[in-house]
Amino acid sequence: MLLSRRSFLRAAAAAPLVSLPSIVRAQAQTTLRFVPVIDLTFTDPIYSTAQVSRNHGFMVYDTLYGMNSALEVSPQMVEGHLVSNDGLQWDLTLREGLVWHDGEKVLSRDCVASIKRWAKRDGFGAELMAATDELSAPDDRTIRFRLKRPFPLLPAALGKAAVQAPFMMPERHATQDPFKPLTEVVGSGPFRFVADERVQGARNVYARFERYKPRESGTPDWTAGPKIVHYDRVVWTTMPDAATGAAALQTGEQDWQETAPHDLLPILKKAKGVSTRILDPRGYACMLRVNHLQPPFDNPAIRRALFAAIDQSSFMTAVAGDDPQYQTTPIGFFAPGTPFASDVGLDVFKGPRDYAKVKATLKAAGYNGEKVVLMVPANSAAQKPLGDVAFDMLQQVGMNVEYAAMEFGAILQRQLKKDPVDQGGWSAGVGNWQGIDWLNPAGNTNLRGDAGTAGWYKSEKMGTLRAQWLSAPTLAEQQRICRDIQALAFEEVPYYPVGLYKQPTAYRTAITGIMNGTAVFWNVRPA
């Protein structure tokens, strides 16, 4: 007989801690044991848009600027910058003593190459480079931007913590094709990646980098301030499901589980020696992405018709349960509670869903029974429920939908295919992003309005509005433009926002120093 998730946890909680091998107890003093939300498929955080790759990136790489939990940026790898020539020249000066994990000195030309590689994959980076006339390294510690026009958001771009973060790499890596994943991991961050201990699908290991030089001033806060490491090793162990991870946390076999399952929170909150909390109040924004290159979603009328079928509450309840403190609906194309969120267009999500009416509207819009291949990450505790709701919805409105369950890593690869569905392509897929990924028009890659993002939404109108936002002189003007951007998004449908949920984390009370934001591993120490 199969055990339920709750029965499994109760049994695990009853297991005495002394039953653990002595070596596990000894290692706990020098090793932090962590359960990531999903396996680390790609170790190149510039190539991959996965949040787990971004978290890995902050372990081993560093950024020129850091971001605190209030979304403010400050110097990190740089000691500061000088702005001259009416804002058209920025000189960034690297801190002394920065070293790559292979022992080589960090040089400005490494950073120049890294910025260029990142900008080919990231929307904010692309905007920065479009405003740049020349990016150079006049000496070993100076990174110089000569701009075509003022770009006051330069530190914000280089300090973003959202996917894809602008990680610095050695020049020999940064000059490689950003659309092909790097196979070697060499950074200058507080941890080294221990490649020979990696077990794909099961384990990734990081060792404290003895030569890392933290900032000497500031307060540790997310990716900003001094990055002080207190553990010699951090071991990420991929668990077969979230319940297994929660059980390992209760028995003391693991110290920290990135995402605590919402349905198991009552048990975890009562468990001895375990704490739960929400690290990022901005939550996780969820989406249904569609392929603009292939039928049926190459038809904007069909895309618009499907809005009336989307019940954001159903999507969020499937992920986070029915407790309202963990979900927010309706939402638009910017994260709720952030400066550019608005109520423009949200009425489309209000009221009961009439699937028969949507079915008729889709037919009138030109839907002729084309196959819709829906990619669903089968090994993602958060994204699989989104896929299940999306599949049911598409069936209810009469679409010829195929449920394509795959490992998350396989989806990351397949979503880059532009082929028709009968040649291995796809029609739709679900995803979740941190709220900070939907913070503004430059950072929200899915609103880019060009062909550079999976889904291949393209819009000159969106590009014009984004350019206006970048040059807007005041917050009020930026907010006005974002209202126009959201109105256009409801018309052109780059993707469907399907709600936002808040995700608790869980950890042993034997550790302390976990910071707000995302899972980072400096400042964490034995309690």
Side-chain angles (χ1 to χ4, degrees), residues 174-305:
T175 52
Q176 295 186 36
D177 185 350
F179 293 92
K180 295 180 180 179
L182 297 172
T183 57
E184 185 183 12
V185 181
V186 177
S188 65
F191 293 93
R192 293 184 297 103
F193 184 62
V194 186
D196 60 359
E197 292 192 46
R198 185 184 193 200
V199 179
Q200 184 76 51
R203 184 181 69 212
N204 290 281
V205 178
Y206 305 85
R208 182 163 62 95
F209 181 40
E210 298 286 352
R211 297 183 65 185
Y212 179 74
K213 184 179 180 181
R215 291 197 65 83
E216 296 178 355
S217 62
T219 301
D221 187 355
W222 200 9
T223 70
K227 297 179 179 179
I228 309 296
V229 171
H230 298 275
Y231 286 96
D232 293 333
R233 287 163 56 89
V234 177
V235 177
W236 290 14
T237 301
T238 304
M239 294 290 182
D241 58 59
T244 306
L249 185 72
Q250 285 191 275
T251 61
E253 295 175 52
Q254 296 293 327
D255 301 307
W256 183 6
Q257 183 177 26
E258 184 177 5
T259 57
H262 288 83
D263 62 330
L264 299 178
L265 279 176
I267 292 175
L268 289 172
K269 288 181 177 180
K270 294 178 182 178
K272 185 177 181 180
V274 174
S275 289
T276 65
R277 82 172 202 253
I278 293 171
L279 296 186
D280 186 359
R282 297 168 190 87
Y284 287 80
C286 301
M287 70 186 299
L288 173 64
R289 186 202 305 275
V290 292
N291 188 336
H292 287 234
L293 298 182
Q294 305 294 343
F297 297 115
D298 59 341
N299 182 337
I302 288 176
R303 296 199 300 269
R304 285 192 291 271

